[in-house]
Amino acid sequence: MCEPKQAPGAQGSAPRRLKPAQLLFEPPEAVADPEHFFDLESIEDPRELLTRSTELALAFRAAADRAMEFQAVAAAQLADPRRFDRLPMAVIAARAEWSEDYTKKMVEFGRDLLRGSAAAE
């Protein structure tokens, strides 16, 4: 399996000083409470709250970037003309809830990622 690289637009961004917080699943009872969010509501010290909420924000951004890279790889694989079960752009767009223009960009980005991982091997 390929390992996606970096999301488009991520190049040139400022280096992150904080290590992203590890994303953990919350217990079902906590998720049912709309006021509960990764136990942030229980932190009373504003300094600690800012630190932890910043860590979570960075972790969610990193997770979103990573998930988007995997979406791009999957879209490129599904659109590959060499596949017998290749899907048209419109079908990929519908499955991912994207516009067709965005789907084309994601397929191309995924192809770039796949080429990069093939070159690294």
Side-chain angles (χ1 to χ4, degrees):
M1 180 170 155
C2 84
E3 277 295 312
K5 303 298 180 229
Q6 199 169 26
Q11 303 85 352
S13 60
R16 294 184 181 149
R17 287 184 242 147
L18 298 173
K19 179 182 174 193
Q22 189 175 20
L23 295 178
L24 303 174
F25 291 99
E26 294 192 274
E29 354 20 282
V31 174
D33 179 4
E35 296 298 315
H36 185 83
F37 187 73
F38 287 88
D39 211 27
L40 292 178
E41 70 287 344
S42 69
I43 300 174
E44 294 190 19
D45 177 9
R47 288 177 196 91
E48 185 182 341
L49 179 59
L50 179 61
T51 298
R52 180 65 180 145
S53 59
T54 300
E55 289 172 345
L56 282 169
L58 290 172
F60 284 123
R61 272 189 224 131
D65 288 347
R66 185 96 172 151
M68 187 209 34
E69 291 166 351
F70 279 100
Q71 282 181 309
V73 167
Q77 290 171 334
L78 290 170
D80 188 341
R82 297 171 295 180
R83 290 178 61 109
F84 76 93
D85 59 347
R86 174 180 173 244
L87 295 178
M89 290 287 176
V91 173
I92 297 170
R95 283 187 178 195
E97 298 180 14
W98 296 332
S99 69
E100 284 195 51
D101 286 340
Y102 186 74
T103 301
K104 290 175 188 171
K105 290 177 184 178
M106 287 295 279
V107 166
E108 196 52 47
F109 176 51
R111 287 177 179 155
D112 290 345
L113 290 172
L114 289 168
R115 277 193 289 274
S117 68
E121 292 176 354

